[in-house]
Amino acid sequence: SAVISQKPSRDICQRGTSLTIQCQVDSQVTMMFWYRQQPGQSLTLIATANQGSEATYESGFVIDKFPISRPNLTFSTLTVSNMSPEDSSIYLCSVRGSASSYNEQFFGPGTRLTVL
Amino acid sequence: QKEVEQNSGPLSVPEGAIASLNCTYSDRGSQSFFWYRQYSGKSPELIMSIYSNGDKEDGRFTAQLNKASQYVSLLIRDSQPSDSATYLCAVNVKGPGYSTLTFGKGTMLLVSP
């Protein structure tokens, strides 16, 4: 399966600031997704990162709050803007459509964000 | 709203027993089904995928799919304490242009030595 890395692995931020999370894959993939997992909860899809075009956001998530970039087939960023304590969560990058495993979806190690 | 339902548990089994984890889904059009294992503080790890009715075995794991009943299960044979984790069922839901995964809330499995 594809090897996925995320930076930073964790961060503590002040409210009102922004944090950009990077996701790097070691091979080209068709699809890249961003999820959020709040404490004790399951995974919630934030958006699908589309290469060369605007991301597709799920209900309840907007571009102004969670701008996403995907400049190529191996890299994406998620920014959490104007943070509040409610944004404290684990943010996960996920990929699908690698050459070795087309239908299966894999997750990066996650970024643990705490907003004070 | 496409839903995936799992019993939250915890499901407690003794070491060496068979653990049975169940999942139901609402979207009859779903074609792909996955089980992820998530250890506390870690990200989800794909352990099984199944696409057609019946059983699929991989080592100590067996996934079972019944599309008519909209039911998918995971059996873990000879359960080990290291299997203690939360198991997430995920179902592929078709959208405009591409599909996305919908996750259940997960079942916590505790295997006691």
Side-chain angles (χ1 to χ4, degrees):
Chain A
S1 62
V3 176
I4 309 165
S5 60
Q6 281 185 239
K7 288 195 293 188
S9 58
R10 59 177 64 228
D11 208 340
I12 301 173
C13 301
Q14 297 297 320
R15 70 169 65 217
T17 63
S18 298
L19 176 72
T20 295
I21 303 167
Q22 298 180 1
C23 177
Q24 178 74 55
V25 194
D26 70 339
S27 60
Q28 292 184 346
V29 292
T30 306
M31 308 293 292
M32 295 184 78
F33 305 93
W34 287 98
Y35 286 81
R36 182 172 73 182
Q37 188 173 34
Q38 296 182 306
Q41 302 296 313
S42 190
L43 299 163
T44 301
L45 179 63
I46 298 172
T48 302
N50 299 311
Q51 194 229 343
S53 64
E54 195 170 282
T56 303
Y57 290 84
E58 298 298 306
S59 176
F61 298 96
V62 295
I63 188 172
D64 289 346
K65 176 68 175 176
F66 297 102
I68 288 170
S69 77
R70 189 178 173 193
N72 56 51
L73 293 176
T74 64
F75 185 79
S76 178
T77 67
L78 168 74
T79 299
V80 186
S81 302
N82 188 25
M83 288 184 285
S84 67
E86 292 70 35
D87 294 320
S88 297
S89 187
I90 297 173
Y91 292 85
L92 293 152
C93 173
S94 182
V95 306
R96 189 173 81 215
S98 66
S100 60
S101 185
Y102 191 76
N103 285 322
E104 297 177 333
Q105 190 166 320
F106 302 94
F107 286 85
T111 296
R112 183 179 295 272
L113 171 62
T114 302
V115 184
L116 302 178
Chain B
Q1 181 77 8
K2 311 300 184 183
E3 293 183 345
V4 178
E5 300 286 344
Q6 293 182 257
N7 189 321
S8 62
L11 172 66
S12 296
V13 300
E15 184 174 357
I18 296 175
S20 178
L21 305 161
N22 304 315
C23 171
T24 59
Y25 59 95
S26 64
D27 183 8
R28 284 196 169 275
S30 295
Q31 297 293 321
S32 305
F33 307 86
F34 307 90
W35 284 98
Y36 290 82
R37 177 177 62 197
Q38 187 173 26
Y39 293 113
S40 180
K42 301 294 186 182
S43 65
E45 173 193 8
L46 180 65
I47 55 173
M48 289 291 285
S49 58
I50 187 165
Y51 305 103
S52 55
N53 281 328
D55 295 0
K56 178 183 178 182
E57 186 174 317
D58 184 0
R60 295 186 296 111
F61 299 101
T62 298
Q64 300 175 316
L65 175 62
N66 184 326
K67 290 184 181 179
S69 300
Q70 295 174 247
Y71 177 92
V72 58
S73 65
L74 179 71
L75 300 178
I76 305 175
R77 290 181 300 281
D78 188 24
S79 294
Q80 301 297 308
S82 59
D83 294 326
S84 297
T86 295
Y87 289 80
L88 300 167
C89 174
V91 175
N92 222 345
V93 175
K94 283 192 176 180
Y98 56 88
S99 59
T100 59
L101 286 184
T102 297
F103 284 83
K105 295 185 184 297
T107 298
M108 181 182 295
L109 172 66
L110 298 175
V111 182
S112 54

